[in-house]
Amino acid sequence: MKRETRPTLTRQRLNSPLSLSNWLDDIFEDAFNWTEGTFVPDMNVYETAKQFEVTVELPGMDKNDFDISLNDNVLTISGERRIKDQGKENGRKYHRVESRFGKFSRSLPLPNVADTDKIEAAYENGVLAITIPKLKEKTGRKIKIK
């Protein structure tokens, strides 16, 4: 009896779950280069009576890896997070990288009550904290009803 040969769409037969996993990893690696491109760091914005507080989560980065700028009352945080050794470290090859790497830019328009001359920033434990004081004369006031 003649054995039927079927064309395969993969480089290897998928006889085991490990082979299937490797095949899926290859597909995603080919379709998306996860180690390059862009990512969007998480940003939180809070307001108190005296200031605005912005936190941006940038774990694994050095403060020299990003910039903070202010143009036309828009605060912009931009930079780049790079993978070390392009996926190879100590002779090992990564098989899965779930951390996001690449360039990023986050912009935040500031309200007209922001005192842009007194903005301060600190970076500690992977979190960038920016404080934006409010102008004293524009913080508002209560109006007495007669």
Side-chain angles (χ1 to χ4, degrees), residues 24-44:
L24 288 171
D25 286 345
D26 286 345
I27 287 175
F28 282 107
E29 186 176 330
D30 291 342
F32 305 101
N33 188 351
W34 293 113
T35 62
E36 296 176 7
T38 61
F39 80 101
V40 180
D42 293 335
M43 179 169 59
N44 300 307

Side-chain angles (χ1 to χ4, degrees), residues 56-61 123-128:
V56 184
E57 295 179 17
L58 300 168
M61 295 184 72
Y123 182 66
E124 187 177 347
N125 295 326
V127 177
L128 173 64

Side-chain angles (χ1 to χ4, degrees), residues 29 36 49-50 64 75 125 133 136:
E29 186 176 330
E36 296 176 7
K50 296 183 179 183
N64 298 320
L75 184 72
N125 295 326
K136 290 181 182 175

Side-chain angles (χ1 to χ4, degrees), residues 60-100:
M61 295 184 72
D62 185 81
K63 66 180 182 179
N64 298 320
D65 293 335
F66 52 87
D67 294 308
I68 305 168
S69 63
L70 180 67
N71 292 311
D72 294 326
N73 230 30
V74 176
L75 184 72
T76 300
I77 301 108
S78 60
E80 183 173 4
R81 183 163 56 188
R82 296 177 181 94
I83 190 168
K84 295 177 183 174
D85 300 328
Q86 292 298 319
K88 295 181 182 179
E89 187 176 342
N90 299 327
R92 292 179 281 175
K93 178 183 176 187
Y94 290 107
H95 290 280
R96 178 168 301 186
V97 177
E98 294 185 358
S99 300
R100 298 290 182 232

Side-chain angles (χ1 to χ4, degrees), residues 49-50 52 111-118 132-140:
K50 296 183 179 183
F52 297 97
N112 63 355
V113 297
D115 189 351
T116 57
D117 293 331
K118 295 182 181 174
I132 308 157
K134 293 180 181 179
L135 292 168
K136 290 181 182 175
E137 61 269 8
K138 292 189 177 181
T139 56

